Amino acid sequence: MNQQLLAKTFVELADNLVADFDLIDFLRLLTDRCVSMLDASAAGLLLADRDGKLRVMAASDEEVRLLELFQLQNDEGPCLECFSTGAPVIVPDLTREADRWPRFVTAAHRSGFGAVQALPMRLRAETVGALNLFRAAPGPFDAPDTLVAQALADVATISLLQQRTAERSTALNEQLQTALNSRVLIEQAKGKLAERQNIDMERAFTALRGYARAHNRRLSDVARAFIDDSEPLPGLVA
């Protein structure tokens, strides 16, 4: 195994907190490196969407992408079992699993694969997907390679969850900033209306809110229009 490439891969999988983070490129990197470094002929990766439904997100080649889609369409195969249990599914000889996944085994053999192992992309109790490693020839998988593959999947999972948390945090911060900006506008509008009509701030706020509700508009939009004098607001009185 190329130790330098392995170390570089771990760094690349961990370094995802960048503005131009590309999820598809990130996942394709994982599948490609599994094939180039480990005892695998091909690799595919499935992730769960927001509804918990698995989607094919990356594959080292078109043949394995179609096989992954076949698993999903027929609702059988090692990846689905791995995702549902959160545990590795290691199959050194697919011929022996014909009763377990009859349609998948037939399709895998047709695609030129004789062995597969599915490794969970899991962090503690949360499983977000599965990494599939296919091999042309049947036979036992190399234990050290399996450990490395699971480690790569674990690092990728942590990075994905970290990225999702960052995106949620960014969205929350943007919502908070929008709310703060709206609050400033409303305070300015209250002050302007209170001065213009010689009323207190609470009555000015009530007038602004009442106008917004009566015209089915956002309070911040009414406040901005009043401050800027950008449009007439007939009936805006305390």
Side-chain angles (χ1 to χ4, degrees):
M1 185 184 299
N2 187 325
Q3 299 297 327
Q4 288 185 331
L5 182 58
L6 177 61
K8 180 183 178 183
T9 301
F10 275 117
V11 172
E12 289 173 324
L13 291 177
D15 184 22
N16 72 321
L17 291 178
V18 293
D20 58 347
F21 174 71
D22 186 331
L23 176 61
I24 301 302
D25 184 63
F26 173 82
L27 298 176
R28 181 60 188 260
L29 170 71
L30 176 56
T31 57
D32 286 352
R33 292 293 170 80
C34 283
V35 174
S36 62
M37 294 189 303
L38 307 177
D39 183 22
S41 304
L45 191 148
L46 278 68
L47 283 184
D49 61 17
R50 293 179 179 178
D51 298 323
K53 187 175 181 179
L54 284 175
R55 306 284 185 181
V56 179
M57 297 299 295
S60 60
D61 59 51
E62 182 64 13
E63 193 72 42
V64 78
R65 187 187 75 84
L66 294 175
L67 184 57
E68 298 285 40
L69 285 172
F70 185 89
Q71 283 193 84
L72 298 180
Q73 292 167 354
N74 289 274
D75 195 28
E76 71 168 44
C79 188
L80 276 70
E81 187 170 312
C82 173
F83 176 72
S84 64
T85 64
V89 177
I90 300 176
V91 184
D93 188 350
L94 277 167
T95 303
R96 299 181 179 180
E97 304 299 333
D99 292 337
R100 187 178 182 183
W101 309 307
R103 288 169 293 184
F104 171 77
V105 168
T106 300
H109 283 150
R110 191 165 52 240
S111 298
F113 301 121
V116 61
Q117 59 177 341
L119 305 174
M121 298 187 69
R122 184 188 66 228
L123 180 62
R124 292 184 283 275
E126 184 173 4
T127 303
V128 300
L131 172 65
N132 285 341
L133 303 181
F134 296 88
R135 202 177 56 210
F141 285 90
D142 183 70
D145 276 6
T146 297
L147 290 175
V148 170
Q150 185 64 71
L152 291 171
D154 291 344
V155 171
T157 301
I158 292 170
S159 291
L160 285 172
L161 294 177
Q162 187 178 35
Q163 182 69 25
R164 289 181 182 180
T165 299
E167 288 175 352
R168 286 195 293 265
S169 177
T170 299
L172 181 61
N173 288 337
E174 290 175 352
Q175 291 168 359
L176 177 60
Q177 188 59 51
T178 298
L180 291 173
N181 292 341
S182 296
R183 188 73 250 175
V184 170
L185 281 174
I186 293 165
E187 290 299 320
Q188 291 174 346
K190 281 167 54 179
K192 181 176 180 179
L193 185 60
E195 181 180 4
R196 178 174 293 182
Q197 297 198 9
N198 194 27
I199 56 177
D200 61 41
M201 298 286 277
E202 186 60 30
R203 289 183 64 194
F205 176 75
T206 300
L208 289 165
R209 184 174 62 178
Y211 185 93
R213 289 180 174 178
H215 294 80
N216 195 29
R217 297 182 61 180
R218 292 191 304 178
L219 179 56
S220 60
D221 290 342
V222 172
R224 181 180 290 106
F226 180 66
I227 293 168
D228 298 338
D229 290 323
S230 59
E231 63 177 281
L233 300 172
L236 178 57
V237 294

